[in-house]
């Protein structure tokens, strides 16, 4: 039998996870600071209609990959499928950030903070993402909570994009 020391492997995995978490927090905060008004509108959409947001988010979450598969199956739609896939992956990330911003805003509201600066809201966003990462360590509940944040944020983002670009 060959003995193998797992401590360096475990340390590497933990380090990689922390780097990934830091990069996600940094990306979310930078996106919020670049587009604060739009991010707050997306978060407000989620606050105003939470159940409708979950339903539409679930439809987008399931429908876009199905549409990508259908487009890939045709010779004409391959390039459109690739573009749609890239947009969808970006929307998943930004949708998660929007859901986390809603969680951060809810935390600020629970603390009685109604008029807050961009800096405090960015800190709340970072704390929300960190909290969601910690909750994700709980086997089933964490995964479900993060999935709901993703779906709700994806819907709010989809609705805001639709409202911004409708004719």
């Amino acid at each position: 039998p060959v003995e193998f020391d797992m401590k360096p492997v475990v340390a590497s995995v933990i380090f990689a996870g922390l780097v990934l978490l830091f990069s996600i927090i940094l990306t979310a905060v930078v996106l919020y600071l670049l587009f604060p008004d739009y991010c707050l509108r997306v978060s407000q959409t989620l606050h105003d209609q939470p159940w409708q947001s979950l339903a539409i988010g679930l439809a987008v979450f399931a429908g876009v990959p199905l549409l990508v598969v259908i487009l890939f199956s045709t010779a004409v739609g391959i390039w459109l499928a690739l573009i749609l896939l890239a947009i969808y992956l970006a929307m998943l990330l930004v949708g998660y950030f929007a859901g986390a911003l809603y969680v951060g805003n809810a935390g600020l509201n629970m603390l009685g903070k109604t008029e807050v600066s961009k800096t405090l809201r960015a800190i709340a966003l970072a704390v929300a993402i960190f909290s969601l990462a910690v909750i994700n360590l709980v086997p089933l509940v964490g995964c479900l909570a993060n999935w709901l944040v993703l779906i709700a944020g994806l819907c709010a983002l989809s609705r805001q994009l639709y409202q911004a670009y409708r004719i």
Side-chain angles (χ1 to χ4, degrees):
V2 177
E3 291 187 25
F4 187 74
D5 187 18
M6 291 297 292
K7 289 179 186 175
V9 174
V10 171
S12 297
V13 169
I14 291 172
F15 179 74
L18 290 175
V19 168
L20 179 64
L21 178 62
F22 177 74
S23 70
I24 289 172
I25 289 172
L26 182 66
T27 304
V29 168
V30 167
L31 279 175
Y32 168 70
L33 292 175
L34 285 175
F35 308 106
D37 295 334
Y38 186 76
C39 291
L40 291 177
R41 280 198 313 268
V42 170
S43 178
Q44 189 62 39
T45 299
L46 188 54
H47 179 267
D48 292 343
Q49 299 168 329
W51 296 113
Q52 188 177 11
S53 294
L54 285 173
I56 294 172
L58 189 57
V60 170
F61 184 76
V64 172
L66 182 64
L67 181 60
V68 167
V69 168
I70 291 170
L71 286 171
F72 265 126
S73 67
T74 67
V76 179
I78 291 175
W79 295 110
L80 185 58
L82 288 172
I83 293 169
L84 187 60
L85 182 62
I87 291 170
Y88 178 70
L89 292 175
M91 280 185 67
L92 287 176
L93 185 64
V94 175
Y96 184 76
F97 295 160
L101 181 62
Y102 172 75
V103 171
N105 285 339
L108 288 173
N109 288 340
M110 287 175 55
L111 294 174
K113 307 278 186 181
T114 54
E115 299 293 325
V116 295
S117 65
K118 285 196 290 188
T119 305
L120 186 59
R121 203 173 300 273
I123 292 170
L125 173 60
V127 169
I129 291 174
F130 180 78
S131 301
L132 288 168
V134 170
I135 290 171
N136 201 32
L137 296 175
V138 178
L140 186 62
V141 175
C143 184
L144 182 62
N146 276 279
W147 185 74
L148 287 175
V149 166
L150 170 69
I151 295 300
L154 185 62
C155 169
L157 179 66
S158 301
R159 291 186 62 168
Q160 278 298 313
L161 287 172
Y162 173 74
Q163 289 175 358
Y165 292 106
R166 69 179 173 186
I167 298 174

